[in-house]
Amino acid sequence: EWIPSLYYQENYRRTPEKSLIKYLDKKLSKNISHPTMIAFDLYKEYFNDVYIFNSHQDGDIMTNFVCQALPTAYNICKELNGQTNAFKSKHVSPSLDGSKLYAKAKQRSVPMTRKMISKLNDFRLSNNTEYQKFQSCLSSESKKRLLDRSLELEKQVALVSENVRLFLEPSRSDDHITNFESAATKGKYCEIDASRVLDYPNSTLMRTIS
């Protein structure tokens, strides 16, 4: 999931010049490295105790970090384990679809407000099936390549960090595949076709955000 996230981070301050689909395909055409491995290789030259923390694991993210990454923080770890209010790790997929629709509407001289764009994101999260009618997605072949590369990169991370080595277990690979397919079904590797949206002004999507 980090590649779509990286695309967002590189483009959220401006309208993307390149589509997400082309961005993903370009990444897949190269020998990409996981950002975790890039950081690990950088810091291990200076420190012999570089620790990789898995923020996606189950449980309270604050407690997990203190108890796993700060092994001498015994008292704080014990106190956090006794609390009922947990800081849950919540990952909400960001999107640049609004920026793309706004830019295309401006290009076509179609009235479009920031409030409408805000409603678009709400619609994306709550009406996924209807929203997918106006999306372009990564091809099946590219999704297969992305999944294979994702599994390979996860194993690389697991091999250099003892605390995430359990991800080498076959059951974890099955979980990885299941999560990938779930993300694909929810449109993680898709983007809005702004032209198609504007071509259907009476669609449920346009009526909802107008």
Side-chain angles (χ1 to χ4, degrees):
E1 295 186 0
W2 62 269
I3 301 181
S5 178
L6 186 62
Y7 172 77
Y8 175 82
Q9 292 173 48
E10 291 178 1
N11 294 283
Y12 78 98
R13 292 184 180 275
R14 57 188 172 85
T15 302
E17 296 179 3
K18 185 180 297 182
S19 73
L20 172 63
I21 309 304
K22 290 181 179 179
Y23 182 88
L24 290 171
D25 280 329
K26 185 176 180 179
K27 287 288 185 184
L28 289 171
S29 69
K30 299 180 178 180
N31 185 26
I32 55 176
S33 299
H34 197 289
T36 298
M37 288 303 302
I38 295 173
F40 180 85
D41 290 338
L42 175 65
Y43 285 103
K44 75 176 183 179
E45 294 185 17
Y46 306 98
F47 306 97
N48 59 9
D49 60 346
V50 179
Y51 182 90
I52 297 177
F53 175 72
N54 176 22
S55 63
H56 298 277
Q57 64 185 295
D58 293 334
D60 173 8
I61 189 170
M62 178 70 77
T63 302
N64 288 340
F65 178 78
V66 171
C67 296
Q68 296 170 20
L70 306 175
T72 59
Y74 308 113
N75 293 333
I76 299 177
C77 175
K78 184 177 180 179
E79 183 177 340
L80 286 172
N81 274 316
Q83 291 181 0
T84 56
N85 294 324
F87 297 88
K88 296 297 182 182
S89 176
K90 185 177 181 181
H91 300 276
V92 178
S93 300
S95 173
L96 295 172
D97 285 0
S99 296
K100 294 173 184 176
L101 181 58
Y102 188 85
K104 181 60 69 173
K106 185 176 180 180
Q107 187 182 70
R108 288 195 182 184
S109 299
V110 175
M112 184 73 61
T113 65
R114 291 295 180 184
K115 185 175 182 180
M116 292 170 68
I117 297 304
S118 178
K119 289 183 179 180
L120 176 74
N121 193 52
D122 293 337
F123 187 90
R124 176 178 71 90
L125 297 173
S126 61
N127 297 274
N128 197 264
T129 302
E130 181 68 22
Y131 193 81
Q132 287 178 352
K133 296 177 182 179
F134 297 95
Q135 287 183 311
S136 296
C137 301
L138 201 62
S139 68
S140 297
E141 180 184 354
S142 292
K143 278 191 284 191
K144 177 64 168 57
R145 288 168 58 209
L146 182 60
L147 174 58
D148 290 344
R149 185 59 177 147
S150 180
L151 287 166
E152 181 183 339
L153 289 171
E154 184 174 78
K155 288 181 180 179
Q156 289 180 10
V157 174
L159 284 170
V160 300
S161 182
E162 194 171 317
N163 63 296
V164 291
R165 199 154 294 164
L166 56 86
F167 284 100
L168 289 175
E169 297 176 3
S171 61
R172 292 291 180 167
S173 292
D174 292 340
D175 289 342
H176 186 112
I177 294 170
T178 299
N179 290 336
F180 181 92
E181 292 175 344
S182 175
T185 300
K186 294 176 181 177
K188 182 76 175 182
Y189 312 110
C190 303
E191 63 187 340
I192 197 167
D193 184 332
S195 294
R196 195 186 311 169
V197 173
L198 297 176
D199 286 343
Y200 293 90
N202 295 319
S203 67
T204 301
L205 190 158
M206 284 296 286
R207 291 201 309 271
T208 301
I209 69 173
S210 296

